[in-house]
Amino acid sequence: MDELSARLECLMSGLNFVTTFGLLPLPAGMSLEDAEAAIVQVYPEAELIGPGRTDAAEVWEEIDHAFAYRGDPSGGSGMELTDAQEAELRELQDRYRVYVREFMEPVSAIYAGGCRGLPGYPVFWGYRLLILNPDREGLLLFGDASD
């Protein structure tokens, strides 16, 4: 998934506009404290600071908002893609959604926000989402767009 994130970052960048995406699978059955310890192993500066419980609808809202944003032309920032690049971007975004969907179950505990110290800096948009599952892998996913 690192390649998927890297290609999304490449296509979703432009004049005064850069994106950062991260996808980190987590072991099954983790508490928030366990998840934080696992996240810190990969991102040493990371810290969970009171993420709030949410639901799948917010996950999709955050992702869809991020994927739809093309920059702020009035502010002189944004991305410009050819038709072929736009088609590739849509395909990559669909693959990202399918990957995230694999971690979401009715029993998933989903948290939003409350995680600092990850790569990226939210200016135009940003999300920090954590999906924990009792019997299967969980997922930390984050994304940002900045200038």
Side-chain angles (χ1 to χ4, degrees):
M1 295 306 351
D2 290 341
E3 292 174 18
L4 173 63
S5 295
R7 189 62 185 145
L8 280 172
E9 290 173 0
C10 180
L11 288 172
M12 291 185 68
S13 295
L15 181 63
N16 295 323
F17 183 71
V18 64
T19 58
T20 303
F21 290 97
L23 295 164
L24 177 64
L26 300 167
M30 296 195 113
S31 67
L32 277 174
E33 295 78 23
D34 295 337
E36 181 175 29
I39 293 166
V40 167
Q41 291 296 315
V42 179
Y43 302 107
E45 301 296 318
E47 178 182 14
L48 294 182
I49 50 167
R53 192 76 184 259
T54 191
D55 59 16
E58 184 172 347
V59 171
W60 300 123
E61 182 179 306
E62 295 283 353
I63 291 171
D64 290 343
H65 172 74
F67 284 171
Y69 191 82
R70 296 294 190 258
D72 180 10
S74 67
S77 68
M79 54 192 211
E80 294 182 25
L81 302 175
T82 65
D83 290 343
Q85 289 171 320
E86 186 67 41
E88 180 186 2
L89 178 59
R90 283 191 306 275
E91 188 269 328
L92 292 170
Q93 290 173 338
D94 287 344
R95 284 181 42 207
Y96 184 98
R97 287 182 186 99
V98 166
Y99 182 75
V100 170
R101 191 173 292 118
E102 291 175 12
F103 292 89
M104 298 177 68
E105 298 181 348
V107 296
S108 297
I110 303 172
Y111 299 88
C115 189
R116 62 180 170 198
L118 295 173
Y121 181 72
V123 173
F124 301 114
W125 56 260
Y127 60 84
R128 298 320 188 225
L129 300 162
L130 183 60
I131 303 168
L132 300 178
N133 290 305
D135 300 319
R136 61 158 305 176
E137 277 188 321
L139 181 69
L140 167 69
L141 59 152
F142 61 91
D144 296 300
S146 62
D147 53 357

